[in-house]
Amino acid sequence: MTRLGIRRRFYCFLFHNPELRDELFATSYVVPQRILAGIRSTLFIYCLAVLISNLAVNVAHGAGWNWAAYFTTLTFFGITLYYGFASYTTIAYAWKQQKIRTDGVATLVDSESASQSPPLSGIGEGYIKNSMPREIAQTQPPSLAHQVALASQWILYESFTCFAPLVSLIYWALLFPTQNDILDSGLDTWMGVSMHALNSVLMLCEVGVFAKTPYRYSHFWILFMFLALYLGLAYFMVGVYGFYVYPFFDSRYFGGYIALICLLIIDIIAVVWVIMLMVHRLRDGLYPRWLLKRQRSTVF
């Protein structure tokens, strides 16, 4: 594929993708717009505080050199980035909607004032303004940076909702029983619970309450690419520093079973992906029906 072809596909994905629009990434079926913006901004600040605290503790204990090699750290970094992009898109969309409402009221006032003066060429200027749909008259085309932010939020959302359960499962089932001394202080407990348990709680809240983001089976290759890159990083640490990030990557103890472990992890991710696909289809089918039923009961 030529460079021009790649640029065209990228441009079409950003500006001609019917699913890459603000309504699907900056709104919720349940939570009002401004409250959602406040929640996501608060969660971004919280996750950033956890991430910085974890880095500071590792640096203080002389382990800052391998801090970014842990899958838990990278996953939580992705969650923090997700809430950063989600905060931006949600606040920007709320501000744009408020501006549309404010400008719409001003346009209506101008049209009423103009209707009292003699019309121009048989049609009043106020009529021309008011005859255009308010959203079309006030909405400007999205910028490249804004569409890239939406696309980044989409990718981070799909990876976040798949990797968070994997992190919680592997840590609490395999790693924590052999490392009970890792939570030996209040700060360690807070960071451990936030990065290994709260991550899955946030995933459930996003999927079930906060988000309307779609899930697409065709994006699974992105997660597979992330896993392949992480496997390369893990063995880069072995080759350069002689450091095994996780014990099940150590060929001295597991030998040829490492390939089976990697395949098992991919299978777990695939199962979680399929479950998420079904959950999102169920969510996107039930919530609109519930909202429509609620509106009808309110009207009648």
Side-chain angles (χ1 to χ4, degrees):
M1 184 179 295
T2 64
R3 182 180 299 179
L4 181 60
I6 295 176
R7 291 179 62 183
R8 284 179 176 175
R9 288 174 65 91
F10 182 69
Y11 180 86
C12 290
F13 175 77
L14 291 180
F15 291 98
H16 297 282
N17 189 342
E19 294 182 331
L20 201 64
R21 62 183 194 272
D22 289 324
E23 292 81 0
L24 295 179
F25 296 90
T27 62
S28 170
Y29 288 114
V30 180
V31 183
Q33 185 70 38
R34 294 185 179 181
I35 296 178
L36 181 64
I39 291 174
R40 285 178 166 174
S41 300
T42 303
L43 290 175
F44 169 65
I45 296 172
Y46 177 85
C47 292
L48 188 62
V50 173
L51 204 63
I52 294 175
S53 299
N54 186 257
L55 174 61
V57 169
N58 278 270
V59 170
H61 288 81
W65 61 275
N66 63 355
W67 174 77
Y70 288 94
F71 190 77
T72 298
T73 303
L74 295 177
T75 300
F76 203 80
F77 180 72
I79 295 174
T80 306
L81 280 180
Y82 166 77
Y83 278 114
F85 282 113
S87 299
Y88 159 73
T89 56
T90 307
I91 293 173
Y93 186 69
W95 178 83
K96 184 173 71 173
Q97 293 297 105
Q98 180 64 33
K99 186 174 184 297
I100 289 174
R101 287 191 291 267
T102 304
D103 293 348
V105 172
T107 302
L108 182 60
V109 172
D110 291 341
S111 66
E112 291 177 352
S113 301
S115 63
Q116 299 175 2
S117 60
L120 299 175
S121 301
I123 302 177
E125 184 182 356
Y127 175 80
I128 295 175
K129 290 182 180 180
N130 203 36
S131 62
M132 295 177 63
R134 188 170 60 188
E135 291 78 3
I136 297 177
Q138 302 296 334
T139 303
Q140 297 179 351
S143 64
L144 176 62
H146 183 76
Q147 292 302 105
V148 169
L150 289 180
S152 301
Q153 182 181 339
W154 196 357
I155 294 172
L156 290 168
Y157 174 81
E158 291 178 329
S159 60
F160 159 34
T161 52
C162 265
F163 291 156
L166 178 67
V167 168
S168 298
L169 176 64
I170 292 180
Y171 179 78
W172 296 109
L174 300 178
L175 300 178
F176 180 74
T178 61
Q179 300 177 4
N180 289 327
D181 58 336
I182 196 171
L183 304 178
D184 55 356
S185 69
L187 181 61
D188 291 333
T189 301
W190 171 64
M191 291 187 300
V193 171
S194 296
M195 300 181 72
H196 300 100
L198 185 62
N199 57 345
S200 294
V201 174
L202 293 178
M203 179 271 295
L204 294 175
C205 291
E206 281 292 323
V207 172
V209 181
F210 299 148
K212 290 171 63 176
T213 308
Y215 229 74
R216 291 296 170 259
Y217 68 91
S218 58
H219 293 177
F220 182 73
W221 69 271
I222 299 177
L223 267 71
F224 185 81
M225 180 187 68
F226 285 160
L227 292 174
L229 290 174
Y230 180 75
L231 187 63
L233 173 63
Y235 282 101
F236 171 81
M237 298 296 294
V238 175
V240 176
Y241 300 104
F243 173 73
Y244 288 92
V245 181
Y246 295 107
F248 48 77
F249 285 147
D250 194 341
S251 59
R252 296 173 298 179
Y253 300 102
F254 292 93
Y257 290 103
I258 294 179
L260 294 177
I261 294 173
C262 293
L263 289 175
L264 178 62
I265 292 175
I266 294 175
D267 290 340
I268 294 174
I269 288 294
V271 170
V272 174
W273 181 267
V274 172
I275 293 175
M276 284 297 165
L277 280 173
M278 293 188 294
V279 169
H280 280 73
R281 291 200 174 187
L282 184 65
R283 181 200 69 184
D284 296 336
L286 291 180
Y287 266 130
R289 296 177 186 175
W290 175 73
L291 291 174
L292 182 60
K293 184 178 180 181
R294 184 180 179 184
Q295 290 176 356
R296 289 177 177 176
S297 62
T298 304
V299 172
F300 296 104

